[in-house]
C-alpha cells in the first residue's frame, strides 16, 4: 500500500512539474522574439554574429515549444503529464483508411495507435514564419563571423532535425502538403554553408511528398518538380531511380497549364530508363504515356531506343531485362523470352533471371492454352498436336524454375509454378513424380498438413 501511495504521489508531482514546464507561454516567447528583433536592428548589436545566433535561438524555441517534448512511441499516459494538462477533447478518427485516437490540445493534435503516439499535427503556432526567420538568422550569423561556425551549425542542425521529424509525422497522417513544407525547410537549413554537406535525400523527400500531394492538390506538382529537379541537378538519385518516375508525374500533372509538359514528362522517363533499365515504374510510365498521348511516339520506338543502348553495352544484363519488360508490356512474349534468355546467359546464377524466364515461358503456355480452348478442332490428331505443343512450352519453363528454386528455396511463387506445371504435365511419369515433390513442398511451406 505504501508503495502505491508513493507511485501516485510521484505521478502527481510529475504532473505538477509538467504543468509549469510544458505549457506554452506564448507571451514570454514573443517577448524573447521582440527583444531579439530589437537587438538585431541595433547598428552596434546587429553587427555581431552572437546577436543573430540569439535571434535564431529565440525563433527556433518559439517554433518547437508546442511539440518539443513529443516523440513517436510515447505512451499515452505520458502525454498529459508531459504537456501539463489533459486534452481538450478525445476522438476516434480515420485518416487514409487508418484508425487513430486523436488527443486535441490548443497547439497540437496528437494521434495514437495501440496506446502509443505515432504522429501529431500542429494546429496553432506561436507566430507565423518562425522557422524561416530562425534559418535567416543563423545564415546572417555565419556571414558575419565564420569563427562561430560550430554554434551556427548546432542551431541549423536543430532546425533540420525538428523539420525532418515534422515531415515524417505529417506524412504518416497523410498531411502531404505539410510534410513537403517541413522537408523543404529542413533542406533549406542544411543549405546554409556553415551546416556542411546537405543530405540530398531530404530534398528528395520534399519532392516525393509534394508529388503525392499533387494527386489531390494539383498545384503541388510544380513544387515536386522544383525539388526533384534540384535534387537531380545536385547529383542525387535514389537507388532504384524512382525519382525519374515521380518527376514524370510532376510534369504530366501540369499538362493542362502547358501542353509542352507532356514532352518534358517523356524526356524525364527516357533519361531515367537509360540509367535504370530495370525500373518497372519508369517502363510502365513510358508505356502509359506512349499509349495515352497522341504525338508522343509509337511504343515500338522504345525497342529502338533500348536496342541502341544494347549495341553500346551488349553485356549489360539490365538493358536486356528492360528490353524484355517492354515486350511484356506489348504482350509480345516470344521476344520477351528471347531477351530474358540472354539475361540468364549473362547471369546464369541470378534468381530473378531464372524465375522470370521460367515465369514468362509459363505465360506463353497459358496463352496458347487459352487459344486452344477457343479453337474448333476437326480431328483428334489436330487437337493432340496442339496439346503436345502446349506441353512442350510448359516443359521448357521447368529447368529455369528449378534453378530458381535451387537459388532461393524459400520463394513460394517458384514452388507454386512448378507444382502447377507438373500437375498439368502429370501424364508424363517424370512430371507425375515432380508433382508429388512440389505439391508436398508447397504444402510444407504453407504450414499445411
Amino acid at each position: 500500500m505504501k508503495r502505491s501511495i508513493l507511485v501516485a504521489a510521484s505521478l502527481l508531482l510529475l504532473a505538477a512539474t509538467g504543468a509549469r514546464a510544458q505549457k506554452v507561454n506564448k507571451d514570454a516567447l514573443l517577448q524573447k522574439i521582440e527583444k531579439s528583433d530589437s537587438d538585431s536592428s541595433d547598428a552596434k548589436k546587429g553587427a555581431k554574429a552572437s546577436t543573430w545566433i540569439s535571434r535564431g535561438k529565440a525563433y527556433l524555441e518559439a517554433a518547437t515549444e508546442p511539440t518539443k517534448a513529443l516523440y513517436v512511441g510515447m505512451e499515452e499516459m505520458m502525454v498529459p503529464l508531459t504537456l501539463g494538462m489533459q486534452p481538450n477533447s478525445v476522438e476516434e478518427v480515420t485518416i487514409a483508411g487508418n484508425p487513430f485516437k486523436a488527443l486535441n490540445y490548443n497547439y497540437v493534435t496528437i494521434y495514437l495507435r495501440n496506446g502509443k503516439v505515432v504522429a501529431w499535427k500542429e494546429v496553432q503556432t506561436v507566430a507565423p514564419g518562425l522557422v524561416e526567420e530562425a534559418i535567416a538568422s543563423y545564415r546572417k550569423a555565419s556571414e558575419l563571423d565564420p569563427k562561430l561556425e560550430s554554434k551556427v551549425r548546432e542551431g541549423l542542425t536543430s532546425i533540420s532535425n525538428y523539420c525532418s521529424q515534422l515531415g515524417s509525422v505529417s506524412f504518416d497522417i497523410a498531411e502531404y502538403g505539410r510534410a513537403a513544407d517541413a522537408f523543404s525547410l529542413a533542406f533549406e537549413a542544411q543549405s546554409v554553408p556553415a551546416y556542411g554537406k546537405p543530405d540530398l535525400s531530404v530534398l528528395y523527400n520534399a519532392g516525393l511528398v509534394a508529388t503525392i500531394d499533387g494527386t489531390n492538390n494539383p498545384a503541388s506538382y510544380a513544387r515536386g518538380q522544383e525539388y526533384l529537379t534540384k535534387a537531380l541537378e545536385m547529383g542525387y538519385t535514389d537507388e532504384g531511380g524512382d525519382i525519374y518516375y515521380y518527376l514524370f508525374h510532376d510534369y504530366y500533372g501540369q499538362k493542362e497549364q502547358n501542353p509542352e509538359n507532356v514532352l518534358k514528362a517523356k524526356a524525364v522517363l527516357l533519361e531515367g530508363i537509360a540509367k535504370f533499365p530495370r525500373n518497372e515504374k519508369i517502363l510502365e510510365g513510358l508505356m502509359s504515356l506512349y499509349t495515352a498521348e497522341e504525338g508522343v511516339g509509337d511504343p515500338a520506338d522504345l525497342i529502338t531506343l533500348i536496342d541502341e543502348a544494347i549495341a553500346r553495352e551488349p553485356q549489360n544484363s539490365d538493358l536486356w531485362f528492360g528490353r524484355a519488360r517492354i515486350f511484356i508490356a506489348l504482350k509480345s512474349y516470344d521476344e520477351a523470352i528471347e531477351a530474358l534468355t540472354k539475361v540468364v546467359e549473362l547471369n546464369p546464377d541470378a534468381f530473378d533471371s531464372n524465375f522470370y524466364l521460367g515465369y514468362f515461358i509459363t505465360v506463353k503456355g497459358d496463352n496458347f492454352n487459352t487459344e486452344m480452348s477457343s479453337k474448333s478442332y476437326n480431328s483428334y490428331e489436330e487437337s493432340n498436336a496442339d496439346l503436345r505443343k502446349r506441353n512442350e512450352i510448359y516443359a521448357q519453363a521447368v529447368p529455369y524454375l528449378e534453378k530458381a528454386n535451387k537459388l532461393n528455396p524459400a520463394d513460394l511463387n517458384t514452388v507454386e509454378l512448378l507444382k502447377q506445371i507438373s500437375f498439368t504435365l502429370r501424364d508424363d511419369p517424370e512430371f507425375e513424380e515432380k508433382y508429388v515433390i512440389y505439391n508436398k513442398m508447397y504444402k510444407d511451406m504453407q504450414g499445411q498438413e
Side-chain angles (χ1 to χ4, degrees):
M1 178 65 71
K2 184 176 180 181
R3 178 177 174 81
S4 298
I5 293 172
L6 287 173
V7 170
S10 67
L11 289 175
L12 287 171
L13 179 61
L14 179 59
T17 303
R20 290 195 300 271
Q22 294 298 329
K23 283 186 177 179
V24 177
N25 190 333
K26 181 176 180 179
D27 290 338
L29 293 168
L30 290 176
Q31 285 174 11
K32 286 185 180 181
I33 287 176
E34 184 178 357
K35 183 179 184 305
S36 71
D37 286 346
S38 176
D39 289 345
S40 62
S41 298
D42 180 82
K44 187 175 181 180
K45 293 181 179 180
K48 296 180 180 180
S50 58
T51 299
W52 290 95
I53 290 176
S54 296
R55 185 176 188 269
K57 288 181 179 179
Y59 273 94
L60 180 58
E61 181 185 359
T64 61
E65 184 68 20
T67 61
K68 69 178 184 180
L70 295 175
Y71 60 88
V72 174
M74 174 183 280
E75 296 287 346
E76 181 177 358
M77 65 170 289
M78 293 301 299
V79 174
L81 298 178
T82 300
L83 297 188
M85 59 183 294
Q86 294 294 329
N88 299 327
S89 63
V90 179
E91 58 184 328
E92 301 293 329
V93 299
T94 299
I95 301 173
N98 298 311
F100 296 94
K101 182 178 182 179
L103 310 182
N104 298 307
Y105 286 88
N106 291 339
Y107 283 85
V108 62
T109 296
I110 302 169
Y111 298 93
L112 303 103
R113 187 183 295 129
N114 299 324
K116 293 185 178 182
V117 173
V118 295
W120 55 84
K121 177 173 71 174
E122 296 178 357
V123 295
Q124 183 185 167
T125 59
V126 172
L130 295 170
V131 174
E132 291 89 337
E133 287 296 331
I135 294 171
S137 296
Y138 283 112
R139 186 186 298 276
K140 181 68 174 179
S142 67
E143 292 170 353
L144 288 172
D145 191 352
K147 293 179 182 178
L148 295 181
E149 186 176 271
S150 62
K151 290 187 177 181
V152 172
R153 185 185 304 114
E154 182 180 339
L156 292 170
T157 300
S158 296
I159 294 172
S160 177
N161 291 342
Y162 163 72
C163 291
S164 293
Q165 182 186 53
L166 181 58
S168 295
V169 296
S170 297
F171 181 85
D172 289 341
I173 51 173
E175 291 280 345
Y176 302 124
R178 288 174 180 259
D181 290 339
F183 283 126
S184 65
L185 283 172
F187 186 76
E188 185 180 339
Q190 294 183 14
S191 298
V192 177
Y195 177 87
K197 186 177 181 180
D199 181 359
L200 294 179
S201 68
V202 175
L203 182 59
Y204 170 71
N205 287 340
L208 170 60
V209 292
T211 303
I212 295 172
D213 190 54
T215 304
N216 296 316
N217 303 297
S220 290
Y221 283 129
R223 296 177 64 202
Q225 175 200 327
E226 176 189 349
Y227 300 146
L228 295 180
T229 300
K230 185 174 181 179
L232 283 172
E233 290 173 347
M234 295 182 72
Y236 178 82
T237 50
D238 58 296
E239 185 177 350
D242 286 350
I243 188 170
Y244 292 96
Y245 176 73
Y246 296 121
L247 189 51
F248 147 69
H249 275 290
D250 289 325
Y251 279 118
Y252 196 65
Q254 299 177 77
K255 68 174 184 176
E256 299 300 328
Q257 291 90 331
N258 186 352
E260 290 184 6
N261 282 324
V262 173
L263 296 179
K264 291 180 180 179
K266 171 187 173 181
V268 164
L269 290 173
L270 291 176
E271 181 182 351
I273 202 62
K275 295 177 180 179
F276 300 94
R278 273 183 176 262
N279 189 301
E280 294 190 7
K281 292 179 181 176
I282 298 176
L283 282 167
E284 288 166 4
L286 279 167
M287 294 303 300
S288 174
L289 192 62
Y290 272 63
T291 54
E293 295 288 337
E294 292 185 7
V296 171
D298 186 330
D301 293 344
L302 298 175
I303 301 299
T304 302
L305 291 169
I306 205 159
D307 281 350
E308 290 173 353
I310 288 173
R312 294 190 295 270
E313 299 181 69
Q315 303 303 306
N316 187 327
S317 62
D318 285 347
L319 291 173
W320 283 102
F321 191 91
R323 189 177 199 273
R325 278 290 293 118
I326 295 171
F327 277 121
I328 289 164
L330 294 170
K331 300 189 184 304
S332 300
Y333 296 113
D334 284 338
E335 289 85 351
I337 289 168
E338 181 183 348
L340 287 168
T341 301
K342 183 65 177 179
V343 175
V344 171
E345 178 187 318
L346 293 169
N347 291 302
D349 294 323
F351 166 78
D352 284 354
S353 306
N354 285 279
F355 173 79
Y356 282 114
L357 178 53
Y359 173 76
F360 282 106
I361 292 174
T362 305
V363 170
K364 179 182 177 181
D366 291 343
N367 286 342
F368 190 79
N369 195 49
T370 301
E371 291 176 14
M372 287 176 59
S373 300
S374 61
K375 215 169 164 184
S376 297
Y377 291 99
N378 296 318
S379 67
Y380 171 77
E381 289 75 13
E382 185 181 354
S383 172
N384 204 36
D386 272 359
L387 188 62
R388 285 196 302 272
K389 184 175 179 181
R390 183 206 67 176
N391 291 350
E392 287 172 1
I393 295 172
Y394 281 133
Q396 290 169 12
V398 173
Y400 301 108
L401 293 172
E402 289 186 328
K403 179 68 175 288
N405 175 245
K406 182 179 178 181
L407 292 166
N408 184 6
D411 185 71
L412 183 64
N413 291 327
T414 307
V415 176
E416 185 176 14
L417 279 172
L418 284 165
K419 182 193 79 163
Q420 291 172 351
I421 293 173
S422 299
F423 180 78
T424 301
L425 304 179
R426 64 191 180 281
D427 289 342
D428 183 325
E430 176 188 354
F431 285 100
E432 183 180 18
E433 183 179 342
K434 286 181 183 292
Y435 174 71
V436 173
I437 294 170
Y438 292 119
N439 186 47
K440 182 180 184 304
M441 191 182 297
Y442 182 75
K443 288 182 177 180
D444 288 345
M445 292 174 73
Q446 287 199 315
Q448 298 177 0
E449 294 295 331

